Amino acid sequence: MGKSAFSGIQPSGDMHIGNYLGAIRNWVVDYNTDESIYCIVDLHAITVPQDPELLRNRIRSLTKIYISCGLDINKVAIFVQSHIKEHAELGWIFQCLTPLGWASRMTQYKEKSADKKEQSSVGLLAYPMLMAADILLYQVDGVPVGDDQKQHVELTRDIAQKFNREYGEAFKVPEPWIRDSGARVMALDEPTKKMSKSGGPNNAIMLLDSPAVIKSKIMKATTDSGREIKFNPEQAGLYNLLTIYELFAPGNPTRPEIEEQFAGQGYGGLKKATVEVVVEGLRPIQEKYAELSKDEGYVEQILKDGADKIRPIAAKTLSEVKQRMGIG
Ligand code: TYM
């Protein structure tokens, strides 16, 4: 009945409320213990071209976001993937173990390489095997992520089971931990697609957006022309706004309570109230972020301590894997 968690985010753009509601908030609420490990997956970010200076800054910025959102640095380990070389090494071993058919079925790979198969990097195809290495190195119980990462966690399980079958039990097989609400926050301007780091200017609310920007994005959010305020998944835009309201509203109101609260108010009332709860919900995160930005040395120290704490676990797993495979 352990509860050790591993999860990570790519430092490939500004963080949005989808990353927060689908992942980070659940880490903070449910898995903020000294058994949990949170990674900044810079090696995954370079599967597509990155500007070096921007990438370096984003790694530090994401570290500050993790802490500002409430991860307890006295308990969890926060580290940068490339600081622990075992990730790349086990990733390679998994590339050799994984059938090409499994890798090429991954939805994220198909989407990201869709119209540019010949130009996209080999790393983009190998991406999920590196993710499996991230997770399996630390022998954790589960992986708290948003819904879009479920397929990758399932592949991770398949890879662990294949290795255990062929070479003997070296890996714990982890569970995907995905919450019902917030696991798939949709784009404000196109609510049939998920909110993403790389969408247009009104796609996502960023965690560091000012109140004025949050207001403008929510007021412009796409909804249909109905009037009744109900949690109906068929009405994608309305459903998305209601879900965002639900997750940010203080006091954890139930869905029937929310529907009752907005009865007869029209979409304008819901949008205004959503602006309010999102601005208030992000305020403490933004304040903490500003405070952390005054001392960049502190952030470097946290990343160093995080890597130092968990490196022995990674080294032990990799050494067992190599021994079982007859390499080294
Ligand atoms: P990434 O960087 O795309 O996203 C980070 C986390 O945010 C969640 N997420 C969302 N949740 C709800 N609604 C959305 N619109 C939304 N968009 C993103 C993602 O599900 C994820 O939990 N492959 C991973 C990074 C990774 C990783 C790992 C995760 C690498 N190694 C090991 C867990 C464990 C990724 O690209 O996430």
Side-chain angles (χ1 to χ4, degrees):
M1 254 294 286
K3 253 187 131 194
S4 57
F6 182 98
S7 200
I9 298 184
Q10 296 189 62
S12 53
D14 294 335
M15 292 303 113
H16 53 72
I17 60 167
N19 301 126
Y20 178 62
L21 300 175
I24 310 178
R25 200 173 83 139
N26 304 332
W27 309 349
V28 171
V29 174
D30 293 330
Y31 313 107
N32 208 355
T33 72
D34 42 31
E35 287 180 290
S36 293
I37 302 173
Y38 297 107
C39 185
I40 289 145
V41 294
D42 55 349
L43 295 174
H44 277 109
I46 58 166
T47 52
V48 297
Q50 299 288 343
D51 175 86
E53 206 40 48
L54 204 53
L55 182 58
R56 214 181 329 273
N57 290 335
R58 280 180 172 153
I59 292 168
R60 274 70 202 171
S61 168
L62 186 51
T63 311
K64 289 187 277 180
I65 291 279
Y66 282 7
I67 304 167
S68 312
C69 289
L71 283 181
D72 183 348
I73 43 129
N74 294 313
K75 293 187 175 152
V76 307
I78 299 175
F79 77 106
V80 179
Q81 186 184 32
S82 65
H83 289 181
I84 298 193
K85 62 180 174 28
E86 282 80 357
H87 289 250
E89 202 171 341
L90 186 60
W92 169 257
I93 292 173
F94 286 163
Q95 287 180 52
C96 298
L97 188 80
T98 307
L100 191 54
W102 292 7
S104 49
R105 273 197 290 280
M106 293 296 110
T107 317
Q108 186 171 308
Y109 167 69
K110 287 197 268 185
E111 279 171 10
K112 285 202 175 173
S113 65
D115 43 353
K116 36 183 190 267
K117 271 247 157 25
E118 292 294 317
Q119 292 91 338
S120 65
S121 71
V122 176
L124 206 56
L125 180 66
Y127 180 114
M129 281 67 87
L130 180 60
M131 177 161 162
D134 298 341
I135 299 165
L136 296 176
L137 273 175
Y138 301 99
Q139 311 287 356
V140 292
D141 298 305
V143 189
V145 281
D147 184 61
D148 63 336
Q149 294 301 316
K150 187 166 185 219
Q151 196 187 29
H152 287 158
V153 180
E154 276 161 3
L155 181 74
T156 300
R157 290 169 59 83
D158 291 341
I159 291 174
Q161 281 159 347
K162 186 170 193 284
F163 188 98
N164 288 348
R165 223 173 23 245
E166 293 176 8
Y167 297 100
E169 294 283 324
F171 295 114
K172 188 181 261 188
V173 182
E175 306 276 337
W177 284 332
I178 299 170
R179 286 236 189 158
D180 291 338
S181 204
R184 197 172 185 82
V185 179
M186 308 309 276
L188 294 178
D189 57 351
E190 215 177 340
T192 51
K193 299 203 170 128
K194 70 169 183 175
M195 184 175 280
S196 93
K197 290 170 203 150
S198 50
N202 292 314
N203 173 296
I205 298 170
M206 301 304 170
L207 294 187
L208 301 179
D209 274 348
S210 69
V213 170
I214 294 170
K215 180 171 181 198
S216 144
K217 287 178 178 176
I218 292 180
M219 297 315 279
K220 282 191 205 131
T222 305
T223 46
D224 55 50
S225 55
R227 283 200 55 81
E228 215 193 355
I229 300 210
K230 292 257 177 237
F231 278 88
N232 173 10
E234 307 277 295
Q235 290 175 283
L238 175 62
Y239 187 80
N240 194 39
L241 278 181
L242 276 169
T243 307
I244 294 171
Y245 179 83
E246 176 193 16
L247 293 168
F248 276 105
N252 297 322
T254 63
R255 290 187 167 192
E257 280 166 359
I258 294 171
E259 287 171 353
E260 197 180 326
Q261 178 188 345
F262 290 108
Q265 282 198 33
Y267 292 175
L270 170 66
K271 283 185 168 178
K272 275 203 196 104
T274 305
V275 172
E276 222 164 274
V277 294
V278 173
V279 167
E280 287 313 312
L282 296 184
R283 190 190 302 280
I285 297 174
Q286 297 183 352
E287 285 172 359
K288 178 88 187 165
Y289 185 93
E291 196 188 307
L292 287 169
S293 299
K294 291 182 194 150
D295 185 359
E296 298 292 337
Y298 176 74
V299 169
E300 293 304 326
Q301 192 59 43
I302 284 169
L303 293 175
K304 183 176 179 309
D305 292 348
D308 288 347
K309 176 175 167 189
I310 60 170
R311 194 175 281 110
I313 314 173
K316 179 162 180 276
T317 302
L318 184 67
S319 138
E320 185 181 339
V321 165
K322 288 165 93 171
Q323 201 220 335
R324 285 184 183 276
M325 294 187 84
I327 53 178

